[in-house]
Amino acid sequence: MANDRNVQQYKEQMINTMTQGELLLLLYDELVKRLTQAELALDKSLFPVFEESVQRGIDIVNYLDNTLDHQYPISDELARLYEYFTYELGRAKIGRNKEALHHVKEKADELRDAFRVAQKSGDSSK
């Protein structure tokens, strides 16, 4: 029990010391992980795991959308993309639609890679 508490405190401390860019990448990593879990669960007909994983993905996308800073023009484009992700993930969840799920996972993976490159270039310019 004490060990679990120590692990939780460590995780919280790690998150509290991360930059915004690192947190964004962590969220995208988690999104891609959850969508991969959903694909695997669907392949094995583990529908409760599938639905839980897709819902967690939707929750992450909603969080990303809610934390956009609309003073930047790219935020409007990201908001539209997140709306599309939410729509497609809803379709995937309701219809157990692997194609829609895979499409969102692919796009989220591309975005994660783009943000990773942007963060590395930002870090190297300091």
Side-chain angles (χ1 to χ4, degrees):
M1 193 84 173
N3 194 24
D4 289 342
R5 195 171 27 248
N6 291 340
V7 169
Q8 185 62 31
Q9 286 175 334
Y10 172 76
K11 285 180 181 179
E12 289 174 13
Q13 181 181 10
M14 186 177 82
I15 288 172
N16 289 334
T17 60
M18 294 176 100
T19 66
Q20 285 185 330
E22 290 169 333
L23 286 170
L24 182 65
L25 289 175
L26 183 67
L27 285 166
Y28 271 101
D29 286 342
E30 187 66 19
L31 175 59
V32 171
K33 177 181 127 185
R34 294 298 177 143
L35 299 182
T36 300
Q37 284 176 337
E39 285 181 327
L40 295 171
L42 188 57
D43 288 343
K44 295 178 181 179
S45 298
L46 300 172
F47 301 123
V49 175
F50 164 76
E51 290 170 6
E52 181 183 320
S53 298
V54 173
Q55 185 57 52
R56 187 66 182 120
I58 291 169
D59 293 344
I60 292 168
V61 171
N62 286 335
Y63 178 81
L64 289 166
D65 187 41
N66 290 334
T67 58
L68 286 172
D69 185 345
H70 288 280
Q71 74 178 6
Y72 300 105
I74 194 167
S75 294
D76 293 335
E77 293 174 40
L78 286 170
R80 284 192 295 278
L81 187 61
Y82 294 154
E83 183 179 341
Y84 172 74
F85 282 1
T86 302
Y87 173 79
E88 286 295 293
L89 290 174
R91 281 187 53 220
K93 184 177 174 185
I94 292 168
R96 297 181 180 155
N97 185 330
K98 188 171 183 176
E99 203 173 291
L101 177 64
H102 182 73
H103 180 71
V104 172
K105 186 183 107 176
E106 229 175 31
K107 295 300 176 196
D109 200 25
E110 289 172 14
L111 265 176
R112 175 183 63 178
D113 291 345
F115 282 121
R116 184 171 284 127
V117 168
Q119 178 169 351
K120 283 182 183 177
S121 69
D123 289 347
S124 66
S125 66
K126 292 179 181 179

